[in-house]
């Protein structure tokens, strides 16, 4: 990993890519500020006009593509034998990158290595950027296991969904700064981030409740460390994806309603009683990331003249 800091091109202009995860747009209450084409279809032209260049999806979305939104992909892989077909399909669909939930979290380290090898092989075979996501119930559910996998496969690259560690591993319990130091090999390999904020006991908290909370500063620092790690190690053709993923309280999947308890509700029996507008929060996170990116590039590469 040579890094931009050692490159003839000393700026990171154009390397920050703003996509939004489609889950952010699922089941938005009718009072959301995001216009709709109809009751269930967001106005993707407004998404594009707001400064998002792409949408992260499970499968192609014709309405988003018509609005000039590029697509990035996401999937879950439980068995290495299905990895090649999934990544080949994402490449055929024209997805700019793919993020993966990999495994169940019950794998031995050796079994986890087998899954990672399958991902790396398929990514190379199909020339598709693939970023393994830090997520509960996967092989990257805890930082120590993730660092062990990095030691075995330095070429791994990640989607940092850090809420799964910040809350799931209660990162503020103990020496927070020492944990960040140990995670430097991870920060250097982040190429994609799912953006949300929570606190020690809640993974997705309305932003207006966090602005004076220690968690706000912690997430800004974590995201900044990922950006600095990228800028210190990335090749010129690599991109850094910043993607709000603010999920609703429940989702429909394969004909069933699943309660996932991400968005906080005033009334648990009323899915429209969300405490905040996830679309407006996505815009706020986009603005925050742009500010952090500027600080990171100035720190790593020096200020523009």
């Amino acid at each position: 990993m040579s890094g931009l800091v050692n490159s003839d091109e000393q700026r990171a202009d154009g390397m920050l890519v703003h996509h939004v995860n489609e889950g952010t747009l699922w089941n938005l209450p009718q009072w959301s500020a995001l216009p709709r084409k109809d009751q269930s279809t967001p106005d993707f032209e407004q998404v594009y006009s707001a400064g998002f260049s792409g949408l992260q999806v499970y499968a192609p979305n014709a309405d988003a593509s018509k609005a000039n939104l590029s697509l990035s992909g996401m999937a879950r892989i439980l068995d290495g034998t299905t990895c090649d077909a999934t990544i080949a399909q994402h490449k055929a669909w024209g997805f700019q990158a793919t993020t993966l939930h990999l495994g169940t979290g019950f794998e031995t380290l050796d079994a986890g290595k087998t899954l990672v090898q399958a991902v790396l092989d398929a990514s190379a075979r199909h020339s598709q950027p693939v970023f393994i996501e830090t997520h509960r119930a996967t092989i990257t559910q805890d930082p120590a296991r993730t660092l062990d996998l990095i030691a075995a496969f330095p070429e791994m690259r990640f989607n940092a969904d850090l809420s799964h560690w910040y809350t799931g591993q209660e990162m503020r319990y103990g020496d927070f700064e020492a944990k960040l130091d140990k995670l430097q090999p991870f920060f250097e390999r982040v190429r994609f981030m799912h953006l949300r904020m929570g606190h020690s006991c809640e993974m997705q908290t309305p932003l207006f409740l966090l602005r004076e909370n220690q968690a706000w500063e912690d997430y800004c620092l974590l995201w900044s460390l990922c950006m600095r790690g990228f800028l210190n190690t990335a090749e010129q053709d690599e991109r850094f994806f910043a993607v709000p993923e603010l999920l609703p309280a429940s989702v429909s999947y394969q004909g069933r309603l699943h309660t996932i308890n991400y968005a906080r509700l005033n009334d648990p029996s009323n899915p429209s009683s969300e405490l905040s507008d996830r679309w407006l929060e996505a815009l706020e996170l986009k603005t925050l990331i742009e500010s952090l990116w500027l600080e990171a590039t100035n720190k790593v590469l020096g200020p523009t003249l």
Side-chain angles (χ1 to χ4, degrees):
M1 295 187 290
S2 63
L4 299 177
V5 73
N6 298 317
S7 166
D8 291 335
E9 172 58 53
Q10 291 296 303
R11 301 309 309 163
D13 298 332
M15 301 190 81
L16 177 63
V17 178
H18 293 289
H19 285 201
V20 62
N21 184 278
E22 66 178 350
T24 301
L25 312 182
W26 289 341
N27 302 341
L28 285 171
Q30 289 300 311
W31 48 264
S32 171
L34 178 63
R36 294 170 175 77
K37 291 289 189 183
D38 55 49
Q39 187 171 5
S40 61
T41 306
D43 186 340
F44 288 112
E45 292 179 359
Q46 293 298 317
V47 175
Y48 182 80
S49 296
F52 292 105
S53 64
L55 183 73
Q56 189 181 23
V57 295
Y58 282 108
N61 185 307
D63 291 323
S65 295
K66 288 177 184 177
N68 294 316
L69 289 166
S70 301
L71 299 178
S72 52
M74 53 185 169
R76 187 179 188 192
I77 297 291
L78 299 178
D79 183 344
T81 63
T82 67
C83 187
D84 189 83
T86 297
I87 293 174
Q89 181 67 83
H90 282 208
K91 180 69 174 182
W93 281 335
F95 290 171
Q96 291 187 340
T98 297
T99 68
L100 291 181
H101 293 183
L102 192 59
T104 66
F106 282 89
E107 291 84 5
T108 64
L109 181 57
D110 284 344
K113 289 178 180 179
T114 299
L115 283 172
V116 171
Q117 187 66 68
V119 169
L120 296 175
D121 289 347
S123 175
R125 186 178 301 114
H126 300 290
S127 299
Q128 175 71 0
V130 179
F131 309 126
I132 297 170
E133 183 171 334
T134 56
H135 201 285
R136 296 169 298 170
T138 75
I139 64 170
T140 57
Q141 65 186 358
D142 70 89
R145 169 68 69 85
T146 304
L147 291 172
D148 287 342
L149 291 169
I150 289 172
F153 300 99
E155 64 272 38
M156 289 178 75
R157 298 294 181 268
F158 293 95
N159 171 24
D161 190 335
L162 293 169
S163 62
H164 292 271
W165 285 358
Y166 189 84
T167 301
Q169 297 294 312
E170 199 170 357
M171 287 186 69
R172 265 289 165 188
Y173 183 44
D175 190 335
F176 183 66
E177 287 70 26
K179 295 175 184 179
L180 300 185
D181 288 341
K182 291 181 179 179
L183 284 169
Q184 187 60 34
F186 167 76
F187 295 135
E188 293 174 349
R189 289 163 173 81
V190 173
R191 300 295 184 265
F192 199 109
M193 294 195 310
H194 274 166
L195 307 176
R196 72 165 65 84
M197 287 188 184
H199 54 66
S200 294
C201 294
E202 182 181 47
M203 283 182 50
Q204 182 176 299
T205 303
L207 294 182
F208 74 89
L209 295 175
L210 285 179
R211 293 192 186 99
E212 304 302 322
N213 191 290
Q214 178 66 50
W216 184 282
E217 294 183 13
D218 290 345
Y219 271 92
C220 288
L221 176 57
L222 287 163
W223 292 338
S224 294
L225 290 170
C226 292
M227 294 175 187
R228 292 179 212 165
F230 170 83
L231 292 166
N232 274 313
T233 61
E235 303 295 339
Q236 280 296 320
D237 61 348
E238 290 189 277
R239 297 293 178 263
F240 190 92
F241 291 79
V243 184
E245 186 192 45
L246 303 170
L247 300 176
S250 58
V251 296
S252 296
Y253 180 69
Q254 294 183 341
R256 295 179 54 194
L257 185 66
H258 297 264
T259 300
I260 59 174
N261 298 311
Y262 274 75
R264 196 191 292 190
L265 303 177
N266 276 311
D267 177 1
S269 67
N270 179 8
S272 293
S273 65
E274 295 188 20
L275 263 65
S276 59
D277 185 340
R278 288 178 282 119
W279 167 244
L280 292 181
E281 290 186 319
L283 296 177
E284 183 175 355
L285 289 172
K286 176 180 176 293
T287 299
L288 175 61
I289 287 297
E290 288 168 347
S291 175
L292 295 176
W293 179 260
L294 179 60
E295 292 176 7
T297 54
N298 287 341
K299 187 176 184 68
V300 174
L301 305 178
T304 56
L305 298 177

